[in-house]
Amino acid sequence: YAPVKNLYGGGQQQHLAASSSSGTLAEIPTSPIPGMKPGTSGLRKKVEIWQGIDDEIKEKYYVENFIQSLLDTAKANNKGEIPKTLIVAGDGRYFNDEAIQIICRVLAGNGVENIWVPRSGIMSTPAVSAAIRTREGGSADGGIILTASHNPGGPGEDFGIKYNENYGQPAGEEFTDALYERSLEISSFKTVQGSPDININAPAGTTFSLSPTSAVTIIDPFTEYVKVLKESFNFDEICEFAKHPDFSILFDGMHGAGGPFAQRILIEELGFPKSSLMRCDPRPDFGGCHPDPNLTYAAELVKKMGLKSDGSADESAASTAPTLGASNDGDGDRNLIAGAGCFVTPSDSLAMICDNWKAIPHFEKAGGLKGVARSMPSSAALDIVAESLDIPLFITPTGWKFFGNLMGSKEQFDKRDYTPFLCGEESFGTGTDHIREKDGLWAMLAWISILIDANKDTAEGQPLIQVKDVVMNHWVKYGRHFYCRYDYEAVETDAANKMVDLIRDNYINGDLSALNEDPSGIKLVATEEFAYTDPVDGSVTSNQGLILFFRYANGDDARVIFRLSGTGSAGATIRMYLEKYEKEKERYGEAAPSILKSLADRAIALVQLQELTGRESPSVIT
Ligand code: G6P
Ligand code: ZN
């Protein structure tokens, strides 16, 4: 692929001359296309489907149908008024630019007056959220984000579209369900015909009129995002610490949308050397990598951080590794955090950020956190810290939209204020109310801030306190939640469903006392199928994970959860989440996958995973 355009140069001038070759409005007949049901985070399909070149969808208006259904839903939600201002931006994956052109035409055809497109078409998901909320001259009514997040891109791979609403939050289930219903009824879409493509590489401030009532304005992708991060952290202090001779960072952009933002913030704003970045140029196929920051897919960074693939330290490599490493996913909202020779699990990272709230100005300025939350499959490490700080803790289903309601409790619903709010998920997502999305770079800045705080009394010439010290101190204080996840990707859907049915029939609804003793001594003692009632809007979400509670012969408790992923695009991905709490300090140094191996074996046998799916081992252990 051609290298992606330069995002950094170009003018900041406002109100450049508008091109004036508007097209004509048209209404084109179409027919419903089945299967447009958004998952955990938007609609993801093979790119050929979106392009209309897949055999089954040939010559159908896939993008147009989806966007028209989305706009009809937004309009119905907005008392019959079409949104006035929308952002359209993507993570730069294959088909990004073509999709932007199609979407702009459909928006204009529907009378959306202002369409904002970032220069180059690329913006990370957190940056879109920031721009929707706070762009100067008036916030937007929403944003259409072209991403399949951490799924691979390129021909034969995934493309996706998701919608964020007016506070910058991902659209909730009510919206996406209504969109899906609409997509099954649609009979025409509106667009403009005869207008030339907009030049998405034009300088910020350029406008293109698409119809007499609609114009596209090219915006600077960075402005609002940089602003909210500056409000959240102490940039001067970080700049100073960046000069410390023993402190170094490494950021892996995985050729996704986070790269240019890391360049702008870490290098240009904070003064870290350029060598602190790897894979920060966005590419349509993410350079052939799977842009998901976990121990398996971020293997290169993991190695450079002095880690083995199971997350344990490779001592010789760790001695020369950077102090702090982080990796983002395709759209820059996920994060993997590691110190030299120390992988920090997302659940631990969340608990540690919570415990170190004083190090983060956004929390400190407000006198502390007023609410925290984690997704149900994330470990309970956060719970203990929340309890000791005496702050409300929420346990939500998987999916950032559930946090959105809690953060927006006051702002959107005029209810109790939980901000400053901190939340995160085992799926490598961490964030706060500075925006309404998880934020990969935020997590890195949070850890830099924690290290600065941990070293405030370190005398010159003394060795710096490292990530591994922060982590060990935390475990000594609170105990360690050994945690890891097995993924079985692209399993046959029927087989995965059979396994879920078996768990429901035999364990959730079955009689556990009838189970035979197992030689491992690990006993299934209770089960639960997770459901959630949203405390802010009262909505109920069921079937959110099958929880199996175990007890070891020595009395230790453990938990295993089975859940089907909501972000895949083909077949099913089974996720198995393993967790065991440990108070014995002597064991803290051990690798989670080995501590949890016998628990995994026990759970796999009980649910007949191997027999039903034919899989002998997972695709990912992280
Ligand atoms: C996306 C969402 C997250 C969610 C994750 C789960 O990244 O933004 O909020 O945790 O998907 O993915 P899964 O594949 O487990 O459904
Ligand atoms: Zn993502």
Side-chain angles (χ1 to χ4, degrees):
Y1 304 102
V4 178
K5 45 256 147 169
N6 169 23
L7 268 77
Y8 315 122
Q12 299 283 328
Q13 323 82 296
Q14 294 298 304
H15 312 301
L16 298 185
S19 96
S20 59
S21 46
S22 323
T24 49
L25 297 172
E27 184 154 357
I28 314 278
T30 186
S31 52
I33 304 173
M36 291 190 170
K37 196 171 173 55
T40 314
S41 187
L43 182 67
R44 296 178 193 178
K45 297 279 175 193
K46 291 292 162 209
V47 68
E48 287 75 15
I49 292 185
W50 292 101
Q51 289 174 298
I53 59 172
D54 179 85
D55 281 345
E56 276 172 40
I57 321 262
K58 263 220 169 94
E59 281 153 35
K60 297 226 169 140
Y61 296 110
Y62 203 88
V63 175
E64 290 88 340
N65 271 25
F66 186 71
I67 298 297
Q68 185 65 52
S69 307
L70 189 162
L71 288 174
D72 290 346
T73 309
K75 189 171 164 181
N77 264 8
N78 190 28
K79 302 191 190 95
E81 304 245 339
I82 198 82
K84 221 173 136 166
T85 303
L86 291 177
I87 301 185
V88 184
D91 63 10
R93 69 180 58 226
Y94 183 67
F95 194 52
N96 191 65
D97 297 4
E98 294 88 334
I100 289 179
Q101 300 290 348
I102 300 171
I103 294 170
C104 286
R105 290 197 180 98
V106 176
L107 297 192
N110 279 276
V112 176
E113 281 175 35
N114 313 307
I115 305 163
W116 295 340
V117 174
R119 182 160 197 267
S120 81
I122 298 177
M123 227 163 148
S124 70
T125 288
V128 176
S129 185
I132 293 174
R133 290 173 63 73
T134 61
R135 199 171 134 75
E136 221 172 283
S139 56
D141 299 306
I144 296 174
I145 311 179
L146 284 44
T147 176
S149 189
H150 50 282
N151 296 8
E157 302 293 357
D158 287 1
F159 186 82
I161 299 185
K162 65 176 203 155
Y163 185 61
N164 281 32
E165 297 182 279
N166 56 338
Y167 290 97
Q169 80 281 27
E173 233 144 37
E174 212 177 297
F175 187 101
T176 52
D177 286 350
L179 187 166
Y180 176 57
E181 292 304 320
R182 182 67 199 140
S183 76
L184 298 173
E185 293 160 2
I186 186 169
S187 60
S188 68
F189 65 89
K190 295 181 184 147
T191 187
V192 291
Q193 290 181 321
S195 68
D197 275 0
I198 52 164
N199 173 11
I200 55 178
N201 294 313
T206 312
T207 62
F208 300 89
S209 107
L210 286 183
S211 80
T213 51
S214 300
V216 172
T217 303
I218 303 298
I219 65 168
D220 173 64
F222 305 109
T223 313
E224 291 76 28
Y225 185 60
V226 170
K227 187 164 164 253
V228 292
L229 286 186
K230 280 189 172 164
E231 285 161 8
S232 302
F233 295 102
N234 186 335
F235 270 41
D236 292 339
E237 201 177 68
I238 300 177
C239 270
E240 217 24 63
F241 197 62
K243 294 181 198 140
H244 195 291
D246 297 337
F247 181 62
S248 58
I249 61 168
L250 183 60
F251 179 89
D252 177 7
M254 285 199 165
H255 295 303
F261 291 83
Q263 157 81 25
R264 172 64 188 265
I265 287 156
L266 299 174
I267 311 301
E268 293 166 33
E269 299 282 345
L270 295 170
F272 285 99
K274 272 216 164 89
S275 55
S276 312
L277 304 185
M278 63 184 265
R279 302 200 288 186
C280 278
D281 54 322
R283 294 190 192 172
D285 66 344
F286 304 106
C289 82
H290 190 142
D292 196 3
N294 59 40
L295 287 173
T296 302
Y297 295 129
E300 213 177 315
L301 176 97
V302 164
K303 196 161 173 233
K304 287 194 155 95
M305 291 309 299
L307 291 165
K308 297 187 201 151
S309 59
D310 66 357
S312 63
D314 175 350
E315 293 303 347
S316 64
S319 61
T320 54
T323 324
L324 178 67
S327 180
N328 273 192
D329 69 337
D331 63 330
D333 58 356
R334 291 190 170 192
N335 74 88
L336 176 149
I337 294 291
C342 175
F343 167 59
V344 189
T345 68
S347 301
D348 271 352
S349 170
L350 177 64
M352 291 165 193
I353 294 171
C354 181
D355 194 42
N356 286 285
W357 63 270
K358 284 192 182 134
I360 295 162
H362 176 62
F363 305 149
E364 211 271 331
K365 279 186 275 188
L369 286 156
K370 299 212 175 55
V372 292
R374 65 167 170 94
S375 66
M376 182 277 289
S378 309
S379 91
L382 177 70
D383 307 20
I384 308 189
V385 182
E387 199 186 346
S388 88
L389 295 175
D390 195 21
I391 42 180
L393 163 85
F394 299 91
I395 301 173
T396 63
T398 296
W400 206 260
K401 54 197 169 201
F402 297 99
F403 298 141
N405 268 7
L406 294 163
M407 291 185 225
S409 176
K410 176 93 182 96
E411 188 183 31
Q412 282 166 251
F413 300 90
D414 201 22
K415 295 198 170 157
R416 178 170 167 182
D417 191 5
Y418 294 114
T419 64
F421 187 79
L422 170 71
C423 50
E425 299 180 281
E426 55 66 39
S427 56
F428 295 80
T430 323
T432 74
D433 56 290
H434 68 302
I435 52 171
R436 292 289 180 273
E437 284 281 5
K438 53 187 180 280
D439 188 344
L441 260 177
W442 183 92
M444 177 162 223
L445 296 185
W447 271 94
I448 295 176
S449 306
I450 289 173
L451 287 174
I452 294 175
D453 190 60
N455 282 291
K456 60 181 187 291
D457 300 325
T458 308
E460 224 183 298
Q462 288 298 108
L464 285 180
I465 291 173
Q466 300 285 319
V467 172
K468 70 173 193 312
D469 305 318
V470 174
V471 167
M472 187 53 83
N473 291 342
H474 187 95
W475 291 339
V476 168
K477 185 166 165 195
Y478 292 107
R480 176 172 178 187
H481 289 80
F482 278 102
Y483 189 87
C484 92
R485 194 184 82 206
Y486 285 24
D487 294 337
Y488 298 82
E489 292 175 343
V491 168
E492 219 183 289
T493 309
D494 276 353
N497 288 335
K498 272 204 192 112
M499 193 197 79
V500 167
D501 290 345
L502 181 144
I503 301 175
R504 272 203 195 106
D505 293 348
N506 292 4
Y507 308 124
I508 303 288
N509 304 320
D511 176 13
L512 302 184
S513 64
L515 286 175
N516 291 333
E517 286 263 339
D518 186 74
S520 67
I522 304 174
K523 202 168 166 200
L524 178 61
V525 289
T527 61
E528 181 191 332
E529 181 151 19
F530 184 63
Y532 177 70
T533 304
D534 190 303
V536 180
D537 70 10
S539 60
V540 177
T541 313
S542 339
N543 304 341
Q544 292 300 310
L546 303 154
I547 314 176
L548 311 182
F549 297 100
F550 290 91
R551 181 150 306 143
Y552 284 60
N554 69 0
D556 281 359
D557 287 325
R559 182 180 88 149
V560 179
I561 298 153
F562 287 91
R563 205 189 132 256
L564 299 186
S565 154
T567 59
S569 65
T573 293
I574 298 173
R575 301 205 194 283
M576 177 173 78
Y577 311 85
L578 305 152
E579 175 180 353
K580 183 173 185 290
Y581 182 60
E582 182 62 68
K583 284 163 297 197
E584 294 304 326
K585 250 194 245 169
E586 296 66 42
R587 307 194 73 179
Y588 291 165
E590 293 185 45
S594 48
I595 291 278
L596 297 167
K597 176 77 169 60
S598 52
L599 179 66
D601 290 345
R602 176 77 176 120
I604 288 167
L606 279 173
V607 307
Q608 297 177 20
L609 193 148
Q610 212 158 312
E611 294 86 330
L612 292 173
T613 67
R615 294 297 174 86
E616 280 177 14
S617 54
S619 346
V620 170
I621 297 185
T622 194

